[in-house]
Amino acid sequence: MKPSLAVRTSCWCAEHPSAVIALWLVFVAVAELPGLAGGPRLGGGSLSDPDVAANWWPVIAAPIAILMSAPFSRLLLLVSALFISVVTATSAAMLDAVSESASMTPLAGNAALLVVITVAAQHMLFALCRSREAVASGNDASRAARIVASTAGNAALVSGGALAVSLTAVAVVGTAGLAPLATAVLVVVLVATAASLSLLPALNAAARPLPPLPPALQVSHLPRFVRPTAIAAGVLTLGTVAVYGAVRVFAPACAGCRPLAADLDVCGVTTMLVVLGLATLVAYRRPVVALATFLLNGVAVFAGLGVLALLVDPMPAWAPMVLVVALLVPANHLQVYLLHRLRSETLAGMSRRNTIAHACRRAWSASGGALLVTVVMWLVWGLTEHGDVREFALATAVVLVVDTTIVRFLLLPRLAVLGGRTSWWRPVRRSEDVP
């Protein structure tokens, strides 16, 4: 089967890193010119202001470099800072360009930029971990770059395409208040996807291949009693907050409270959940996975709203919809990466139990790093703000931890492997295709 256009593009970028990096830097400079010349901005103090945004790069680059380099690599610090800086600066420029036509508020722009930083960190960590594995398997630098471009490129295309379609649908069918937020996140998702298919392969090829993690830093096998205990505790916690969230959505929990449904665009949220499930079905040709995606995303939304209602009181009217979008966008990227791992292990002939354990263990180094960066970003935003925004940002950090650890790593693998390898889509490959 001939590789897709996205894979061929990623492979070409991996083979011409200098030209691709130079083109992206030129594009960022051109995109920033209107704003620097006094063009439209999202507002004073917005992250789209270069003076404000520049303070965030060390916060992002340092955790990634510390987690992923062993020993510490200054080159990796430079690569991570460059990639996230380019993606965020480009996203900020695009948001400035559409801010007037979409009536976008600074809050929507800030939330969208935090989402794109999270997504960019996920893409980069997934690619770096795939590079480690390719080098550890005996591939040279050139072939390792092609393997990363094909596998990580496909994952970026699937997740970015699904989110683009769902956010477009939400912007069309949602309320007038939801359309600017959906448009802002759609813009940054498109920028992150384009950079992951072009700039990221070029940076990965330009950097030295990373050595495998030392045994002391790898995730070891847990004692037998730990896993079922963690699953039971996680499911109980998730179920409790999801039930509380559902109650708060449809009925007030106290005399002075109002149902969250009054602040939610139910049609927009339902549309996003359904489209993400259908996109998963198209990508993986597996109804079980699509149904699991729809159900788990719905549970995650109720649980997130429950945590938000517990931690933010009184709750501002904008908070529920911003939380839903900020939760589902990075969660979908993580889910696509984890499904890619589960599918690979299942088709390799592993048993159901070994598939779950091996896939989660291989995915955790990247996903754990992405979760660390995400939590740091939302915590920093919360600690630098005040009032409702501070409470919302801190609550969102807690929600993302619960979603990643319980929904994606405890529940999703156990639902996705139901049916074994017979229900996974098996593409026809030619011998010269990249594995």
Side-chain angles (χ1 to χ4, degrees):
M1 185 175 66
K2 188 177 182 180
S4 65
L5 177 61
V7 171
R8 296 200 302 271
T9 300
S10 296
C11 291
W12 185 90
C13 293
E15 295 169 356
H16 305 82
S18 300
V20 174
I21 294 173
L23 287 174
W24 265 98
L25 293 178
V26 171
F27 176 72
V28 172
V30 172
E32 285 288 346
L33 284 178
L36 296 176
R41 288 285 184 184
L42 287 175
S46 170
L47 283 179
S48 58
D49 186 344
D51 295 333
V52 178
N55 297 326
W56 292 68
W57 311 140
V59 177
I60 294 300
I64 296 173
I66 292 172
L67 185 71
M68 296 302 302
S69 58
F72 183 82
S73 170
R74 286 176 293 179
L75 179 62
L76 183 59
L77 178 63
L78 176 63
V79 168
S80 60
L82 179 61
F83 178 70
I84 296 181
S85 298
V86 168
V87 172
T88 311
T90 306
S91 299
M94 296 296 102
L95 289 176
D96 288 336
V98 302
S99 59
E100 290 188 344
S101 60
S103 301
M104 200 176 299
T105 63
L107 177 65
N110 290 344
L113 287 176
L114 287 177
V115 168
V116 78
I117 291 173
T118 300
V119 170
Q122 287 179 334
H123 284 313
M124 185 175 60
L125 286 166
F126 297 159
L128 290 175
C129 286
R130 192 68 182 94
S131 177
R132 285 187 191 274
E133 295 171 2
V135 172
S137 300
N139 297 284
D140 57 20
S142 176
R143 183 163 180 77
R146 288 182 59 83
I147 292 174
V148 173
S150 61
T151 54
N154 267 329
L157 182 63
V158 170
S159 59
L163 286 170
V165 173
S166 63
L167 290 169
T168 301
V170 170
V172 172
V173 305
T175 62
L178 179 59
L181 175 63
T183 303
V185 179
L186 173 62
V187 168
V188 301
V189 165
L190 292 176
V191 171
T193 303
S196 300
L197 294 174
S198 55
L199 179 61
L200 186 55
L203 291 173
N204 185 66
R208 292 195 306 268
L210 298 175
L213 286 172
L217 296 180
Q218 293 179 353
V219 180
S220 59
H221 293 283
L222 295 173
R224 182 169 297 181
F225 70 89
V226 173
R227 188 173 291 109
T229 303
I231 294 174
V235 172
L236 180 61
T237 302
L238 181 69
T240 302
V241 294
V243 170
Y244 179 72
V247 171
R248 286 299 306 270
V249 167
F250 298 110
C254 57
C257 302
R258 65 172 183 168
L260 297 182
D263 299 324
L264 280 172
D265 183 353
V266 178
C267 181
V269 174
T270 305
T271 300
M272 192 170 186
L273 295 176
V274 171
V275 173
L276 286 177
L278 292 177
T280 305
L281 179 62
V282 172
Y284 292 99
R285 318 294 206 272
R286 194 170 182 218
V288 172
V289 176
L291 182 60
T293 297
F294 177 78
L295 293 178
L296 290 181
N297 281 341
V299 171
V301 168
F302 281 123
L305 293 174
V307 173
L308 187 67
L310 286 172
L311 299 181
V312 181
D313 187 27
M315 187 182 301
W318 51 264
M321 281 309 308
V322 175
L323 175 73
V324 170
V325 175
L327 169 65
L328 291 182
V329 172
N332 184 76
H333 284 278
L334 170 60
Q335 178 163 299
V336 168
Y337 180 68
L338 187 55
L339 288 175
H340 167 72
R341 293 292 193 182
L342 291 167
R343 178 177 175 275
S344 300
E345 307 299 345
T346 302
L347 294 181
M350 282 191 176
S351 65
R352 182 180 303 175
R353 181 175 180 180
N354 289 338
T355 294
I356 296 173
H358 198 216
C360 291
R361 186 164 56 247
R362 291 175 64 188
W364 179 249
S365 58
S367 304
L371 177 62
L372 172 64
V373 174
T374 302
V375 171
V376 168
M377 284 305 305
W378 285 95
L379 287 179
V380 169
W381 190 36
L383 295 176
T384 55
E385 293 288 343
H386 54 82
D388 294 339
V389 176
R390 166 175 287 189
E391 293 181 353
F392 172 78
L394 298 179
T396 302
V398 177
V399 170
L400 292 172
V401 171
V402 172
D403 178 82
T404 300
T405 55
I406 300 178
V407 177
R408 311 302 159 183
F409 272 88
L410 287 182
L411 298 181
L412 175 65
R414 284 155 182 83
L415 294 178
V417 298
L418 294 176
R421 59 181 177 177
T422 57
S423 54
W424 284 102
W425 170 47
R426 240 188 214 278
V428 179
R429 290 185 179 271
R430 300 186 306 182
S431 58
E432 63 268 24
D433 286 346
V434 177

